[in-house]
Amino acid sequence: MAQLREEAEDVDGAEALYRRAADAGHAGALVRLAELRERAGDQKSAERFYQQAAATDDTLIVVHLAELREEAGDVDGAEALYQQAATNPIALGTAARVREQAGDMEGAEALYQRAADAGHAGALVRLAELRERAGDQKSAERFYQRAAATGDPDTLIHLARMRDEAGDQKGAETFYQQAADSGELDGEEGKLRWPLGLDADGSPTPPWSTD
């Protein structure tokens, strides 16, 4: 009902209904009240509603609030909220991105590590990229392998290329074959590597013999 009132541009009616919902424990209504008050230029009331919403146990609401704070340019406020939602791996990953954008690479990696430990595959990939950029190939490979184990086959191709560049042809071949098995190497790269395809056992199909 509140949303319908809002769509009909009855802001006062919408706010009244959102307040009733908020009093009944609806965290989303608190967020909407905060947004409406912020739009009206009433920052004091907006912040009060944001704080009430952040005090709930709904981590997704806290993440949403953090995103709103970030969009408003309040980086410190956003990060504090992301940290508050630390049980949510997506929130941790986003907090890490905020730290990275602020130039705090050490803090960013620590948060990416926490997100990765909580099951965020994207955080593993970002850790691998950061370690690779820092020249720490060993750690980079370890993170890429962990990401691949979570079901991110794109990292297998990257691992294969890393082994190629390091001159480890046997290791590269292993990762390329794993990528092929996962269906991630069925395009031009696969055709260039194995022009005749792969046999059922995973080995490259040899050319026909005329003997």
Side-chain angles (χ1 to χ4, degrees), residues 108-148:
E109 286 202 25
L111 286 168
Y112 279 129
Q113 183 66 68
R114 286 173 60 189
D117 291 342
H120 193 322
L124 286 168
V125 173
R126 193 68 193 122
L127 280 167
E129 292 170 344
L130 291 175
R131 287 294 81 215
E132 188 175 8
R133 185 190 301 171
D136 184 357
Q137 297 297 106
K138 186 175 180 180
S139 294
E141 280 207 19
R142 186 173 70 251
F143 286 125
Y144 278 128
Q145 287 173 352
R146 284 177 60 187

Side-chain angles (χ1 to χ4, degrees), residues 24-84:
H26 195 304
L30 286 167
V31 174
R32 198 69 200 108
L33 279 168
E35 291 171 340
L36 289 173
R37 286 293 82 211
E38 190 168 24
R39 186 188 302 170
D42 182 1
Q43 291 299 120
K44 187 175 180 180
S45 295
E47 283 299 325
R48 186 175 71 252
F49 287 126
Y50 279 131
Q51 288 169 4
Q52 289 177 31
T56 70
D57 293 328
D58 190 333
T59 57
L60 292 179
I61 289 292
V62 178
V63 170
H64 178 59
L65 288 170
E67 290 170 344
L68 292 173
R69 292 293 85 212
E70 190 177 353
E71 289 171 5
D74 181 6
V75 175
D76 291 337
E79 188 176 350
L81 287 166
Y82 283 129
Q83 293 278 16
Q84 183 178 325

Side-chain angles (χ1 to χ4, degrees), residues 145-165:
Q145 287 173 352
R146 284 177 60 187
T150 67
D152 185 353
D154 288 342
T155 56
L156 292 168
I157 297 175
H158 194 88
L159 281 165
R161 289 170 180 162
M162 288 176 69
R163 291 292 177 91
D164 251 340
E165 291 171 4

